[in-house]
Amino acid sequence: MSQSAAVPTGPIDHLTADYFLYMLRGWLMYGVSFYLIANVILPKYKFPGNTLALRYWIGIDILSTCFSVYISGLGFVAFFSLEDDFVHATYFPLVVDGVRLGITYFTFDMVATFIAHSAEDRVQHLSFSQQLKSFLDNHPLYIVHHVISGGIFLPLGFIVYDRGHFIITIITLQEVSTPFLNMYRMMKKLHKTDNNLFLANGILFVIAFLIFRVCAFPYIYWYYLHWKRAPDALQELWSLSCYCHVGSAFFFILQSYWFGQIVHRLVGRFSSKPSKDE
């Protein structure tokens, strides 16, 4: 199934106004949803430590789950529409929608996380600059991840036209693992970790992370060689730009490191008796 007819042929400037209008609508949608979840819906439920900060954290996880389900859903639709063309296979409406939602969500999520952090008892009495410093000190990996991801998605929102959609599709599929991460965080915040659901969620998280994140870039290389049908795979890979290899190696090593940390925590969590604080 091809959607190449939907790919625009005009200059990038034609998309600029629509792009920022799309982002503005996304910010409004996320902001209103975040407020309703934290201040209208969750206060109706009784659970341990139902504070404003906790409701903010849970609201972030709920929105993140909705976002990741939608984005990975777009990725699956595009993936199963592949035409065995690594370069020119196009699903423009789906891919650009995902890219623009990505940069919109990453920027909103950073602000929402700062709001949740600032609402915690230990920092809410501090000045704005002190709260910001505390936020940066307590969430360094999170900030690096969102800045890098946002730095990738932002230019892609302008330049994605009739090429590169296969790689973007694989990147969107990485969000398959995010709902399991959010479930883990919510159950931990609610002190619901001593049950089979928590264990099952952890195992599914490890499997999803391995398949859709760690194996993503090796699969891209394999599919590229399959598409090229090159007689000498090493020579074909050597002919690619060094930027492709450096970027792929960076993300592969990063995802592999996180995967190792996830497995280590999962094994440690279920090989010893959980503490009362977990």
Side-chain angles (χ1 to χ4, degrees):
M1 181 177 65
S2 175
Q3 297 185 16
S4 57
V7 179
T9 57
I12 293 175
D13 291 342
H14 288 179
L15 284 179
T16 304
D18 290 340
Y19 185 18
F20 285 109
L21 181 60
Y22 191 98
M23 290 180 64
L24 182 61
R25 289 198 300 264
W27 264 76
L28 181 62
M29 177 185 68
Y30 290 132
V32 171
S33 300
F34 180 62
Y35 176 84
L36 291 176
I37 292 172
N39 295 281
V40 178
I41 299 174
L42 290 180
K44 297 180 180 180
Y45 295 89
K46 294 182 180 180
F47 50 85
N50 190 352
T51 63
L52 180 61
L54 180 58
R55 295 198 299 270
Y56 280 154
W57 287 118
I58 294 178
I60 291 171
D61 290 333
I62 292 174
L63 281 179
S64 175
T65 299
C66 295
F67 164 77
S68 58
V69 168
Y70 178 70
I71 292 298
S72 58
L74 295 183
F76 276 116
V77 172
F79 181 80
F80 288 109
S81 303
L82 290 175
E83 298 177 335
D84 197 26
D85 190 334
F86 183 86
V87 175
H88 299 97
T90 56
Y91 334 95
F92 183 79
L94 294 177
V95 172
V96 173
D97 190 39
V99 168
R100 293 179 178 180
L101 272 179
I103 181 59
T104 303
Y105 181 76
F106 281 124
T107 53
F108 168 81
D109 190 56
M110 289 188 67
V111 175
T113 302
F114 173 71
I115 292 174
H117 178 80
S118 302
E120 294 181 346
D121 293 337
R122 60 189 177 88
V123 296
Q124 63 180 191
H125 64 282
L126 301 177
S127 65
F128 176 80
S129 59
Q130 291 174 322
Q131 289 178 342
L132 182 59
K133 183 179 183 302
S134 176
F135 173 66
L136 296 175
D137 291 340
N138 284 272
H139 304 280
L141 288 178
Y142 163 85
I143 294 170
V144 169
H145 171 268
H146 277 48
V147 168
I148 292 177
S149 300
I152 294 173
F153 274 111
L154 182 59
L156 285 177
F158 288 101
I159 66 176
V160 172
Y161 275 87
D162 60 343
R163 299 186 181 188
H165 290 200
F166 173 80
I167 295 177
I168 303 302
T169 297
I170 300 302
I171 292 176
T172 59
L173 285 174
Q174 293 186 5
E175 290 299 320
V176 169
S177 66
T178 304
F180 302 108
L181 172 62
N182 293 331
M183 178 64 74
Y184 164 82
R185 296 194 303 194
M186 284 190 286
M187 294 185 73
K188 191 172 182 180
K189 291 184 180 76
L190 296 173
H191 305 286
K192 303 292 185 181
T193 60
D194 191 16
N195 55 69
N196 292 332
L197 177 60
F198 187 76
L199 173 60
N201 180 77
I203 295 174
L204 290 173
F205 178 44
V206 169
I207 295 173
F209 199 98
L210 173 63
I211 295 174
F212 292 99
R213 288 185 178 266
V214 177
C215 297
F217 286 94
Y219 177 76
I220 290 175
Y221 275 99
W222 175 85
Y223 191 87
Y224 171 76
L225 293 174
H226 169 74
W227 171 68
K228 288 287 289 187
R229 294 180 173 84
D232 189 337
L234 291 179
Q235 182 178 359
E236 183 63 36
L237 293 177
W238 184 257
S239 66
L240 294 175
S241 169
C242 66
Y243 296 109
C244 296
H245 299 308
V246 171
S248 297
F250 171 77
F251 282 106
F252 177 74
I253 293 172
L254 191 62
Q255 302 287 16
S256 298
Y257 168 77
W258 281 335
F259 179 72
Q261 293 295 308
I262 293 168
V263 172
H264 176 73
R265 291 188 180 186
L266 183 68
V267 172
R269 171 63 178 79
F270 293 105
S271 62
S272 61
K273 185 178 180 180
S275 65
K276 294 180 181 180
D277 294 333
E278 287 188 327

